[in-house]
Structures are given as structure tokens and as C-alpha cells.
Amino acid sequence: MRFYKFCRGAYVLPLLTVVFTLGLSNFALADEDIDEILAQPIDEVSAELLDVTFRVLEEMDIIESYSELDVEEGSGLIGYQVIYEGLKYIVVADNLDVHVACTFEDKPSRSRINEWNKDHRFTRAFITEEGKARIMCDIGATGTTVRNLLANLALGLNSGKKFYNEVL
């Protein structure tokens, strides 16, 4: 039985959660099945969606690790710490958008940050009140697909490494 026929018309993320929770990451999926999963629309960003997304990225050895962060109860926010290429990222989401940030101890000159911002629309760099460099990107997740969320998260994570290599 095809995976997508098993869950056709249903929200696939709970099933993916079960697959990864049970350690069935080697569960064979045909290319068209994966395409259908990745084409699923996102109505809202949930902890379940982000958890499954990070599990997929970890299983694919794209990220080294991730862990859920404590956020203020009732804030409606979901937070994760993600380690990618040795850099620590904070990923925070509300029910509509995902925000990715990476803070660096080194402080480049304002002209280097301005040069970065001039050449990069997706990720913005700035100096924090503490005098550290930080990059941030906002990802509009609702109204898109799981594939686009994964691609945009990868772009946000790659921007941190690129900033580190080019600016610091």
C-alpha cells in the first residue's frame, strides 16, 4: 500500500511524527509519495510541524541537533535551538511565521554589515545592544508548502554560515 494512499486526505504530519518517533526513518517512500508529502499546504505553524521538520533535517544530516526551548507560557510562541555547521541558531515561530536568528561573538564594522545587507535581501544583519553581530530572517510559512518551509529554513541556516565566512 502506498504511503500517501494510506493517509490521503488526512493531515500527514501526525503520521510522519509516528514514523520518526518509532525510528522508522528508513521507511521506504517512493519519490511520488515524498513529492506529495512535501506538497502539503501549511495552514498554521505548530510545534508538531517544526518538530517533524527538524527531525527530517536531522535524519538527513543537514542539522547536527535541535532542542525545544522554554518560552513564556501563553505567548503563543514556539522556540527551538538548532545546531547547524557548528553554529547555534534560535528558531522562534508564532502560528503564521518562522524567525531564524544566529548571534556571533565577533563584531564586524558597520560598513561590513551594511555591505552584507546590501547584497542579501532574505537575511538581515545588525549589531545587538550587547555589541554582538546577529543575522535574522523571517519565513512566511502559512499559505506555502512543507517543501518551501524546508527550503527556506535551509536558506536561513545557510545564511549564518555564509555571514560567518564572509563578514567575520
Side-chain angles (χ1 to χ4, degrees):
M1 175 185 292
R2 291 183 165 274
F3 180 77
Y4 74 91
K5 286 184 180 174
F6 176 73
C7 60
R8 186 187 278 310
Y11 195 59
V12 281
L13 291 177
L15 188 55
L16 279 176
T17 302
V18 170
V19 168
F20 284 102
T21 301
L22 295 176
L24 303 175
S25 59
N26 294 327
F27 187 72
L29 294 174
D31 288 343
E32 59 271 7
D33 298 337
I34 293 171
D35 285 341
E36 183 155 329
I37 291 166
L38 294 175
Q40 291 292 317
I42 298 173
D43 297 325
E44 70 176 357
V45 179
S46 65
E48 179 182 60
L49 171 67
L50 287 178
D51 188 58
V52 169
T53 299
F54 291 134
R55 282 180 191 228
V56 169
L57 292 174
E58 189 176 49
E59 286 288 324
M60 296 171 66
D61 291 326
I62 293 172
I63 63 173
E64 291 149 45
S65 65
Y66 74 98
S67 59
E68 195 167 352
L69 297 173
D70 291 329
V71 294
E72 185 178 326
E73 195 169 322
S75 68
L77 297 176
I78 307 159
Y80 285 88
Q81 176 179 293
V82 178
I83 307 296
Y84 171 73
E85 297 280 328
L87 297 173
K88 186 186 308 183
Y89 294 81
I90 302 297
V91 179
V92 177
D94 53 30
N95 64 345
L96 301 174
D97 300 305
V98 178
H99 314 278
V100 179
C102 186
T103 304
F104 304 90
E105 295 298 319
D106 299 333
K107 178 184 172 185
S109 68
R110 290 199 188 282
S111 62
R112 302 247 328 145
I113 285 183
N114 289 338
E115 189 68 27
W116 168 269
N117 286 335
K118 184 177 83 171
D119 295 335
H120 298 85
R121 286 184 27 206
F122 187 71
T123 305
R124 308 309 298 162
F126 58 95
I127 298 174
T128 67
E129 291 177 5
E130 297 83 25
K132 298 177 181 180
R134 178 175 293 158
I135 61 156
M136 291 186 72
C137 68
D138 299 325
I139 302 166
T142 55
T144 187
T145 62
V146 173
R147 173 182 279 115
N148 288 342
L149 176 61
L150 284 168
N152 288 332
L153 271 172
L155 182 60
L157 295 173
N158 281 326
S159 294
K161 191 64 172 179
K162 187 174 180 184
F163 180 83
Y164 181 81
N165 291 332
E166 291 179 8
V167 177
L168 299 178

